[in-house]
Amino acid sequence: LGIAVDKDGNIAVLERGNKRVQVFDANDGKSLRSFPVGGENPHSVDVDSNGKFVVTSFGENAGIRCFSQEGELLNTFKPDCMKHPVGVTVLKDDRMVVVDFSQKSCLLLQPDGSLIRDIGNGGLQGPVFVAVDESRDVMFVSDSKGHKILAFDLDQNFMFDFGKQGENEGEFESPKGIAVDQAGNIVVGDRGDGRVQVFGPDGTFIRTVATVKGECATGIALTPDGYIAVACYEGHCVELYRYICVELYRYI
C-alpha cells in the first residue's frame, strides 16, 4: 500500500500481504533488501531525518514501528490517542502526522509518539493518506469516503477542500495516496479508477498523469530526480512516471 523514498533515493514499498518493507533501486528496479514488519495490517511507510523507516499498522497490535535502515526494529509507539493508524508522513523535525481512520482525524505527534494535537476531527469521513507542505505548514488529507482532498494547517484550522465523486478531470473515486512537490503542487492517486492527477497548491486541477496498471493507485511518492512513484495495489507493482514529461518510465 504505502511507498516512500529513502535518503539514498531508493524506493521503499510497504507490502500488506507479505507484511514487509521491500527496498528497490530506483534506477534499475532491483530489490536491494527487505525486512518483516509487525502488526496485523501494516499500511504505510515513511522515512525520518536519520533514514529510519516509520511504519504504521492497524488491527491487532496496532501502532507505529521504527526500523533502522537495515530493518532492525528500534521502537514501537502505541499512544492511547491512536486507534486505527493508516497513512503517515514524517516532518523534517521528525514530528509525525498519522491518519486515524476510525477516529476520522489526523494526529500530530512528537518524535516519541506523544500527542501534540488532533487535526481534522469532525470534518473527515474516511481519511487514509496525508502529505504536508512544510513551506506553508499545510497538510493535505485524502478522504476516500468523501471523495475529496481536505487541507488543514498544523494548528488545526480547516483551509479548503477540492474534488468530488466522479470520473471527470479533478474528480475522484476513492482517493488514496498523496504527495506534495517542491512547488506545492499536489499529486493524488485514485484507488477507484487508478488515475494519478496533479493539482495546483490551491487545489486547481492541472492534469492527469496516467492510469496505472490494475486501475488501483494507492501510495504516492516523489523521487529526487523528478519521477512519481505509484504503488499499484491490484497490479502488484510500482510504476514510475516522468513528472515533467508525464511519461511512463519503467516498472518495478
Side-chain angles (χ1 to χ4, degrees):
L1 283 179
I3 190 170
V5 177
D6 72 10
K7 295 187 70 174
D8 298 320
N10 300 312
I11 297 173
V13 181
L14 191 286
E15 301 177 58
R16 179 185 290 181
N18 291 323
K19 296 187 178 181
R20 67 180 180 181
V21 168
Q22 188 164 190
V23 182
F24 296 91
D25 187 314
N27 293 313
D28 58 19
K30 291 182 179 178
S31 178
L32 300 175
R33 62 188 180 278
S34 65
F35 56 89
V37 296
E40 181 182 2
N41 296 293
H43 189 279
S44 293
V45 61
D46 202 4
V47 180
D48 73 8
S49 64
N50 297 307
K52 294 181 293 186
F53 295 100
V54 178
V55 177
T56 60
S57 66
F58 63 90
E60 188 176 353
N61 295 320
I64 304 167
R65 293 170 174 83
C66 296
F67 298 85
S68 70
Q69 295 181 51
E70 294 73 32
E72 176 188 358
L73 179 62
L74 302 174
N75 285 305
T76 300
F77 303 122
K78 298 181 180 180
D80 292 339
C81 62
M82 189 174 64
K83 307 301 181 186
H84 189 134
V86 282
V88 60
T89 190
V90 182
L91 307 184
K92 292 176 181 177
D93 61 5
D94 288 336
R95 290 179 299 164
M96 299 173 282
V97 181
V98 178
V99 179
D100 193 305
F101 185 81
S102 64
Q103 297 189 109
K104 302 179 181 180
S105 67
C106 296
L107 308 175
L108 179 61
L109 305 175
Q110 295 283 11
D112 64 2
S114 58
L115 179 67
I116 300 173
R117 64 182 62 94
D118 187 334
I119 303 173
N121 200 322
L124 298 166
Q125 299 178 53
V128 186
F129 285 93
V130 61
V132 177
D133 182 349
E134 293 196 58
S135 69
R136 297 190 292 158
D137 278 343
V138 178
M139 72 175 205
F140 298 93
V141 187
S142 60
D143 192 324
S144 62
K145 291 185 177 181
H147 304 284
K148 59 185 175 180
I149 306 299
L150 295 94
F152 300 86
D153 67 25
L154 295 183
D155 291 323
Q156 299 178 297
N157 300 305
F158 171 75
M159 298 183 68
F160 60 90
D161 60 37
F162 59 93
K164 63 179 182 178
Q165 187 171 14
E167 298 179 355
N168 296 320
E169 292 181 341
E171 298 177 346
F172 302 112
E173 290 288 347
S174 188
K176 295 288 185 179
I178 189 166
V180 179
D181 71 12
Q182 292 183 347
N185 298 311
I186 306 147
V187 185
V188 183
D190 201 309
R191 176 165 183 155
D193 60 19
R195 287 183 298 166
V196 178
Q197 301 183 81
V198 181
F199 300 83
D202 62 354
T204 301
F205 174 79
I206 297 177
R207 65 181 181 270
T208 297
V209 174
T211 298
V212 303
K213 181 180 179 181
E215 298 186 350
C216 183
T218 52
I220 296 276
L222 303 178
T223 71
D225 54 349
Y227 292 92
I228 302 173
V230 188
C232 309
Y233 187 75
E234 296 294 342
H236 303 285
C237 66
V238 172
E239 290 182 353
L240 273 70
Y241 294 89
R242 194 182 302 276
Y243 190 32
I244 302 302
C245 298
V246 193
E247 165 188 349
L248 177 61
Y249 182 59
R250 54 184 175 266
Y251 289 90
I252 292 178

